[in-house]
Amino acid sequence: MTEPRTLIMGAVAYDPKVVTIWEGFKAWFAPAGLAFDYVLYSNYEAQVQAHLAGHLHVAWNSPLAWLQAERAAARRGRRAEAIAMRDTDRDLTSLILVRADSPIESVAQLSGKRVGVGASDSPQATLLPLLHLAEAGLEPHRDFQVVEHDALFGKHGDHIGGERDAARALVAGTVEAACVIDGNHLAFTREGTLPSNGVRVLAQTAKYDHCNFTVFDDAPASLVSRFRELLLSMSYDDPVVRPLLDLEGLKQWTVGRTEGYAALGRAIDRFGSIDAFLAQVG
Amino acid sequence: MPESAFVDLGDLPLGEGGHLLLKRALWQAGAGERVRVSGSASTLAVDLAPWCRQQGHELLELVTTEPGVSATIARGQALGARHRGAERAGHAVASRPDAVVDKPPERWGLAARGALVEAGTPRFGFTLDDKDAVWTDDASRLYAQAVAAQWDPATAIPWAEAPALPDAVEDAVVQLMTYLIENETAALILPARFIARLHPHFREVMQLLAVQAADEARHIEVFTRRALLLRSELGLSTAGGQASLATLLDEPDFALASFLLSVLGEGTFLSLLGFLREHAPDPVTEAVARLTARDEARHVAFGMAHLVRHAGRDPALLPRLAAAVERRHDALANTAGLNDEVSDALLLLAAGSFEPPALRQGHARVMTLVADMDAGRRQRLVRLGFPEAQAEQLSALHTRNFM
Ligand SMILES: [Fe+2]
Ligand SMILES: [Fe+2]
């Protein structure tokens, strides 16, 4: 099979800025000799299916979409690879917050309480914190009530709205605990969503990784390798890419790694989160 | 190994201003250096890692120290990236050497003159970007003067002191006001158009043109108000008058437009407004003529100042200015010039009545006005550098519509 001339990337349009970002990178890749184009999907499930069907060569995947792609590929005897990620995709944690004046001092005391989470498919604001509680002996829905804050299902929690709603519910007292990614604790404090000294960190998950560029083993090798090489060469000192890196939320692209998805793998095994999807794609 | 810098946040959370202390310490530490940070805020332990990640710093170590935490951070490359390759856009104080450059680059955009401009700014397309064509060192002084000389139409003009005039005289005033309003409108639109094209690096010129446009807005207001003081309708606007103004608005070149509008047009208006003040039939007309003339003198001064400088640097300018006057004259050759209604109104005001001796005197006064206008134009043309004979010839070609 001859190699295509243009590398096609898939991304999920969780925000209008996604167009600005990829148009910008496309314009930056061209003079560097990489013909690049992108296709936008409204949800990760559609993107993973399109990727499996060969409509695109590389997918900018959420951690959950990575596992969907990896497992669906494995069922077909194919292999997925994470070729690159942002510096800000590494070593994240999620927090379970309670109000500062809450009598709850330990995870066990969440028994029978309401725990606010983000979108049901959000790794950072739902699946990983719920796994943390489950592995500590508290089974979601059985031992405590899960209160979802769904912003844009299918976008795997990329939109910040669900987490903000969970934080607001905590402040308003309609939940006893709320789950957010660590960086959003800082962001919600700075924007005033979380009042000064208003919350306490009850628990923190182990470190995990976030998005990556995923390819399958039949991807056009030299295009993918040029793409990866160019990503890794981008410098925050370059005034042309700096605004794009700012929009995408990174300072430097780094090589991909997959160890950071182990916890999320356990979560979806435990909760059966992607079983229906895998059954559907066959 | 050198002792690393140390910052103690006390009980201040990172999200409530603590990041400023940390950022300052990292900034002072220099590239690649380490900073130790400690604090007792309960959330510091969970906030430090994401903050470092987002800012591109490396969190090397995080130790719990009851109460609170202590951490070591290595400053990343990204801090200060906006300053690398940034460029100083001249200097804010125009009188400093090299403060105002000859050709400010497009990439400086809207940045304040004197700001440090990050690389990668968008392109704005300010096409009026040649210092020779727009600049005068007088702009700053004229701007200050203009701001100090702003007057409030509500209080500066004795609106209540308008006596009932003979019908014909009041008609004449209303007709003159109608004519003045359309001229002021052209005088507002022209600088406003050039402001939109002017590179903001020439800040004082931009500000001066903005006040000039605001002056004209006020002139439109007071002329309108005087016209409607005793009447409910305005006078006649003629096709010839508008044709003359259209040739002004059609001029895309700043130097040429400024020459036609400010030096020749507003210069001529100085005489006209002086005449109106002198022969005003009432204190309101006297006041509006006096106050607007004061502003016009400044508009003329700016036009003269930048054109004198421009002509001194570009020997091709004077022939271009002369050609513009000739071109405009040709374009207007088949139009009526000043309308009869306006010239009759001027005569009647100068006469004060329909008595034949008064009319004869009024006519003589209008002849003096026309001669004054011509003398003023010739004098300004000579100051720009035209020889006497050419100044006389060009002045004669100026539009009969005055503006
Ligand atoms: Fe005026
Ligand atoms: Fe004026």
Side-chain angles (χ1 to χ4, degrees), chain B residues 193-207:
Chain B
R193 275 193 183 166
F194 285 113
I195 292 172
R197 286 176 43 204
L198 180 68
H199 198 303
H201 182 70
F202 303 111
R203 167 167 52 86
E204 292 80 356
V205 171
M206 175 179 74
Q207 292 169 302

Side-chain angles (χ1 to χ4, degrees), chain B residues 352-367:
Chain B
S353 83
F354 280 96
E355 295 300 318
L359 289 174
R360 175 177 289 123
Q361 192 185 29
H363 174 75
R365 283 172 173 162
V366 172
M367 290 302 100

Side-chain angles (χ1 to χ4, degrees), chain B residues 287-362:
Chain B
V288 299
R290 174 169 42 81
L291 289 165
T292 54
R294 213 168 73 187
D295 294 338
E296 294 307 338
R298 215 168 42 236
H299 305 170
V300 175
F302 170 61
M304 286 298 295
H306 75 81
L307 286 167
V308 164
R309 182 179 185 277
H310 190 176
R313 294 167 164 267
D314 176 5
L317 181 65
L318 290 186
R320 282 175 59 221
L321 297 182
V325 175
E326 283 157 13
R327 210 165 47 236
R328 188 171 183 219
H329 177 261
D330 292 346
L332 294 174
N334 297 318
T335 63
L338 189 66
N339 69 60
D340 282 349
E341 285 76 6
V342 173
S343 61
D344 291 353
L346 285 172
L347 198 158
L348 185 59
L349 284 194
S353 83
F354 280 96
E355 295 300 318
L359 289 174
R360 175 177 289 123
Q361 192 185 29

